[in-house]
Amino acid sequence: MAFGVKRDEMELWKEKAARGEIAIITHYWLDDRFPESKTVTKVACVDLKKLQQWGKQYGLASDWIDNRRKNFPHYDLFGEMQLVVLKKEKAFEQIERFHLEEK
């Protein structure tokens, strides 16, 4: 279940990804498979090669891309990798908004 993100934010994320840009969005997320994670960052781009190349800089494997919805292939990031990527991508608003900094 996803929450904590506004519809217009999600639409902007989708539009950016659909244009072939790297689009990053974070939201609250509850999934019994990952009880320690309360948020997820989704990094999407319709240009699969571009997304794969982007992921390489962070050591993300191409087979980690969720491509079930062909129009929005994306990485799901959480935990330490989520924070590392958001910092390097200068997504400080998302870090602050979702309280991702370790205290």
Side-chain angles (χ1 to χ4, degrees), residues 40-51:
V40 64
T41 296
K42 294 187 176 286
V43 181
C45 183
V46 295
D47 182 337
L48 194 53
K49 290 191 186 301
K50 186 174 188 177
L51 184 60

mmCIF file with all atom_site columns, all heavy atoms in Angstrom, residues 40-51:
data_model
loop_
_atom_site.group_PDB
_atom_site.id
_atom_site.type_symbol
_atom_site.label_atom_id
_atom_site.label_alt_id
_atom_site.label_comp_id
_atom_site.label_asym_id
_atom_site.label_entity_id
_atom_site.label_seq_id
_atom_site.pdbx_PDB_ins_code
_atom_site.Cartn_x
_atom_site.Cartn_y
_atom_site.Cartn_z
_atom_site.occupancy
_atom_site.B_iso_or_equiv
_atom_site.pdbx_formal_charge
_atom_site.auth_seq_id
_atom_site.auth_comp_id
_atom_site.auth_asym_id
_atom_site.auth_atom_id
_atom_site.pdbx_PDB_model_num
ATOM 1  N N   . VAL A 1 40 ? 9.533  3.711  0.259   1.00 0.00 ? 40 VAL A N   1
ATOM 2  C CA  . VAL A 1 40 ? 10.194 3.195  -0.933  1.00 0.00 ? 40 VAL A CA  1
ATOM 3  C C   . VAL A 1 40 ? 10.423 4.374  -1.869  1.00 0.00 ? 40 VAL A C   1
ATOM 4  O O   . VAL A 1 40 ? 9.619  5.304  -1.922  1.00 0.00 ? 40 VAL A O   1
ATOM 5  C CB  . VAL A 1 40 ? 9.370  2.080  -1.629  1.00 0.00 ? 40 VAL A CB  1
ATOM 6  C CG1 . VAL A 1 40 ? 8.047  2.617  -2.147  1.00 0.00 ? 40 VAL A CG1 1
ATOM 7  C CG2 . VAL A 1 40 ? 10.166 1.416  -2.739  1.00 0.00 ? 40 VAL A CG2 1
ATOM 8  N N   . THR A 1 41 ? 11.530 4.337  -2.574  1.00 0.00 ? 41 THR A N   1
ATOM 9  C CA  . THR A 1 41 ? 11.813 5.319  -3.616  1.00 0.00 ? 41 THR A CA  1
ATOM 10 C C   . THR A 1 41 ? 11.759 4.576  -4.941  1.00 0.00 ? 41 THR A C   1
ATOM 11 O O   . THR A 1 41 ? 12.424 3.552  -5.114  1.00 0.00 ? 41 THR A O   1
ATOM 12 C CB  . THR A 1 41 ? 13.190 5.969  -3.417  1.00 0.00 ? 41 THR A CB  1
ATOM 13 O OG1 . THR A 1 41 ? 13.174 6.704  -2.187  1.00 0.00 ? 41 THR A OG1 1
ATOM 14 C CG2 . THR A 1 41 ? 13.538 6.908  -4.562  1.00 0.00 ? 41 THR A CG2 1
ATOM 15 N N   . LYS A 1 42 ? 10.963 5.097  -5.855  1.00 0.00 ? 42 LYS A N   1
ATOM 16 C CA  . LYS A 1 42 ? 10.828 4.500  -7.174  1.00 0.00 ? 42 LYS A CA  1
ATOM 17 C C   . LYS A 1 42 ? 11.563 5.389  -8.173  1.00 0.00 ? 42 LYS A C   1
ATOM 18 O O   . LYS A 1 42 ? 11.320 6.589  -8.236  1.00 0.00 ? 42 LYS A O   1
ATOM 19 C CB  . LYS A 1 42 ? 9.362  4.360  -7.562  1.00 0.00 ? 42 LYS A CB  1
ATOM 20 C CG  . LYS A 1 42 ? 8.629  3.357  -6.672  1.00 0.00 ? 42 LYS A CG  1
ATOM 21 C CD  . LYS A 1 42 ? 7.239  3.096  -7.177  1.00 0.00 ? 42 LYS A CD  1
ATOM 22 C CE  . LYS A 1 42 ? 6.559  2.028  -6.354  1.00 0.00 ? 42 LYS A CE  1
ATOM 23 N NZ  . LYS A 1 42 ? 7.029  0.688  -6.598  1.00 0.00 ? 42 LYS A NZ  1
ATOM 24 N N   . VAL A 1 43 ? 12.461 4.765  -8.927  1.00 0.00 ? 43 VAL A N   1
ATOM 25 C CA  . VAL A 1 43 ? 13.227 5.469  -9.952  1.00 0.00 ? 43 VAL A CA  1
ATOM 26 C C   . VAL A 1 43 ? 12.839 4.853  -11.280 1.00 0.00 ? 43 VAL A C   1
ATOM 27 O O   . VAL A 1 43 ? 13.111 3.673  -11.532 1.00 0.00 ? 43 VAL A O   1
ATOM 28 C CB  . VAL A 1 43 ? 14.741 5.338  -9.703  1.00 0.00 ? 43 VAL A CB  1
ATOM 29 C CG1 . VAL A 1 43 ? 15.514 6.105  -10.764 1.00 0.00 ? 43 VAL A CG1 1
ATOM 30 C CG2 . VAL A 1 43 ? 15.105 5.815  -8.299  1.00 0.00 ? 43 VAL A CG2 1
ATOM 31 N N   . ALA A 1 44 ? 12.190 5.653  -12.130 1.00 0.00 ? 44 ALA A N   1
ATOM 32 C CA  . ALA A 1 44 ? 11.624 5.135  -13.373 1.00 0.00 ? 44 ALA A CA  1
ATOM 33 C C   . ALA A 1 44 ? 12.119 5.893  -14.598 1.00 0.00 ? 44 ALA A C   1
ATOM 34 O O   . ALA A 1 44 ? 12.521 7.052  -14.509 1.00 0.00 ? 44 ALA A O   1
ATOM 35 C CB  . ALA A 1 44 ? 10.095 5.232  -13.315 1.00 0.00 ? 44 ALA A CB  1
ATOM 36 N N   . CYS A 1 45 ? 12.033 5.209  -15.733 1.00 0.00 ? 45 CYS A N   1
ATOM 37 C CA  . CYS A 1 45 ? 12.317 5.818  -17.033 1.00 0.00 ? 45 CYS A CA  1
ATOM 38 C C   . CYS A 1 45 ? 11.847 4.842  -18.110 1.00 0.00 ? 45 CYS A C   1
ATOM 39 O O   . CYS A 1 45 ? 12.135 3.643  -18.016 1.00 0.00 ? 45 CYS A O   1
ATOM 40 C CB  . CYS A 1 45 ? 13.816 6.081  -17.185 1.00 0.00 ? 45 CYS A CB  1
ATOM 41 S SG  . CYS A 1 45 ? 14.253 6.913  -18.729 1.00 0.00 ? 45 CYS A SG  1
ATOM 42 N N   . VAL A 1 46 ? 11.117 5.330  -19.110 1.00 0.00 ? 46 VAL A N   1
ATOM 43 C CA  . VAL A 1 46 ? 10.658 4.437  -20.178 1.00 0.00 ? 46 VAL A CA  1
ATOM 44 C C   . VAL A 1 46 ? 11.811 3.962  -21.050 1.00 0.00 ? 46 VAL A C   1
ATOM 45 O O   . VAL A 1 46 ? 11.711 2.918  -21.681 1.00 0.00 ? 46 VAL A O   1
ATOM 46 C CB  . VAL A 1 46 ? 9.561  5.078  -21.066 1.00 0.00 ? 46 VAL A CB  1
ATOM 47 C CG1 . VAL A 1 46 ? 8.313  5.343  -20.275 1.00 0.00 ? 46 VAL A CG1 1
ATOM 48 C CG2 . VAL A 1 46 ? 10.061 6.316  -21.758 1.00 0.00 ? 46 VAL A CG2 1
ATOM 49 N N   . ASP A 1 47 ? 12.884 4.720  -21.070 1.00 0.00 ? 47 ASP A N   1
ATOM 50 C CA  . ASP A 1 47 ? 14.080 4.327  -21.816 1.00 0.00 ? 47 ASP A CA  1
ATOM 51 C C   . ASP A 1 47 ? 14.841 3.325  -20.942 1.00 0.00 ? 47 ASP A C   1
ATOM 52 O O   . ASP A 1 47 ? 15.610 3.714  -20.056 1.00 0.00 ? 47 ASP A O   1
ATOM 53 C CB  . ASP A 1 47 ? 14.925 5.563  -22.122 1.00 0.00 ? 47 ASP A CB  1
ATOM 54 C CG  . ASP A 1 47 ? 16.153 5.254  -22.940 1.00 0.00 ? 47 ASP A CG  1
ATOM 55 O OD1 . ASP A 1 47 ? 16.625 4.101  -22.942 1.00 0.00 ? 47 ASP A OD1 1
ATOM 56 O OD2 . ASP A 1 47 ? 16.681 6.198  -23.566 1.00 0.00 ? 47 ASP A OD2 1
ATOM 57 N N   . LEU A 1 48 ? 14.609 2.047  -21.197 1.00 0.00 ? 48 LEU A N   1
ATOM 58 C CA  . LEU A 1 48 ? 15.167 0.991  -20.360 1.00 0.00 ? 48 LEU A CA  1
ATOM 59 C C   . LEU A 1 48 ? 16.695 1.025  -20.329 1.00 0.00 ? 48 LEU A C   1
ATOM 60 O O   . LEU A 1 48 ? 17.305 0.841  -19.276 1.00 0.00 ? 48 LEU A O   1
ATOM 61 C CB  . LEU A 1 48 ? 14.655 -0.364 -20.839 1.00 0.00 ? 48 LEU A CB  1
ATOM 62 C CG  . LEU A 1 48 ? 14.859 -1.546 -19.915 1.00 0.00 ? 48 LEU A CG  1
ATOM 63 C CD1 . LEU A 1 48 ? 14.325 -1.274 -18.515 1.00 0.00 ? 48 LEU A CD1 1
ATOM 64 C CD2 . LEU A 1 48 ? 14.207 -2.785 -20.499 1.00 0.00 ? 48 LEU A CD2 1
ATOM 65 N N   . LYS A 1 49 ? 17.316 1.285  -21.465 1.00 0.00 ? 49 LYS A N   1
ATOM 66 C CA  . LYS A 1 49 ? 18.789 1.355  -21.493 1.00 0.00 ? 49 LYS A CA  1
ATOM 67 C C   . LYS A 1 49 ? 19.300 2.509  -20.623 1.00 0.00 ? 49 LYS A C   1
ATOM 68 O O   . LYS A 1 49 ? 20.291 2.373  -19.918 1.00 0.00 ? 49 LYS A O   1
ATOM 69 C CB  . LYS A 1 49 ? 19.289 1.497  -22.927 1.00 0.00 ? 49 LYS A CB  1
ATOM 70 C CG  . LYS A 1 49 ? 19.100 0.232  -23.747 1.00 0.00 ? 49 LYS A CG  1
ATOM 71 C CD  . LYS A 1 49 ? 19.848 0.325  -25.046 1.00 0.00 ? 49 LYS A CD  1
ATOM 72 C CE  . LYS A 1 49 ? 19.578 -0.838 -25.959 1.00 0.00 ? 49 LYS A CE  1
ATOM 73 N NZ  . LYS A 1 49 ? 19.901 -2.131 -25.438 1.00 0.00 ? 49 LYS A NZ  1
ATOM 74 N N   . LYS A 1 50 ? 18.619 3.624  -20.676 1.00 0.00 ? 50 LYS A N   1
ATOM 75 C CA  . LYS A 1 50 ? 18.993 4.771  -19.853 1.00 0.00 ? 50 LYS A CA  1
ATOM 76 C C   . LYS A 1 50 ? 18.841 4.442  -18.365 1.00 0.00 ? 50 LYS A C   1
ATOM 77 O O   . LYS A 1 50 ? 19.704 4.778  -17.555 1.00 0.00 ? 50 LYS A O   1
ATOM 78 C CB  . LYS A 1 50 ? 18.131 5.984  -20.217 1.00 0.00 ? 50 LYS A CB  1
ATOM 79 C CG  . LYS A 1 50 ? 18.531 7.252  -19.531 1.00 0.00 ? 50 LYS A CG  1
ATOM 80 C CD  . LYS A 1 50 ? 17.699 8.415  -20.076 1.00 0.00 ? 50 LYS A CD  1
ATOM 81 C CE  . LYS A 1 50 ? 18.181 9.744  -19.572 1.00 0.00 ? 50 LYS A CE  1
ATOM 82 N NZ  . LYS A 1 50 ? 17.423 10.848 -20.163 1.00 0.00 ? 50 LYS A NZ  1
ATOM 83 N N   . LEU A 1 51 ? 17.754 3.762  -18.008 1.00 0.00 ? 51 LEU A N   1
ATOM 84 C CA  . LEU A 1 51 ? 17.528 3.375  -16.623 1.00 0.00 ? 51 LEU A CA  1
ATOM 85 C C   . LEU A 1 51 ? 18.596 2.381  -16.163 1.00 0.00 ? 51 LEU A C   1
ATOM 86 O O   . LEU A 1 51 ? 19.126 2.500  -15.047 1.00 0.00 ? 51 LEU A O   1
ATOM 87 C CB  . LEU A 1 51 ? 16.128 2.773  -16.464 1.00 0.00 ? 51 LEU A CB  1
ATOM 88 C CG  . LEU A 1 51 ? 15.701 2.406  -15.050 1.00 0.00 ? 51 LEU A CG  1
ATOM 89 C CD1 . LEU A 1 51 ? 15.703 3.632  -14.131 1.00 0.00 ? 51 LEU A CD1 1
ATOM 90 C CD2 . LEU A 1 51 ? 14.314 1.768  -15.072 1.00 0.00 ? 51 LEU A CD2 1
#
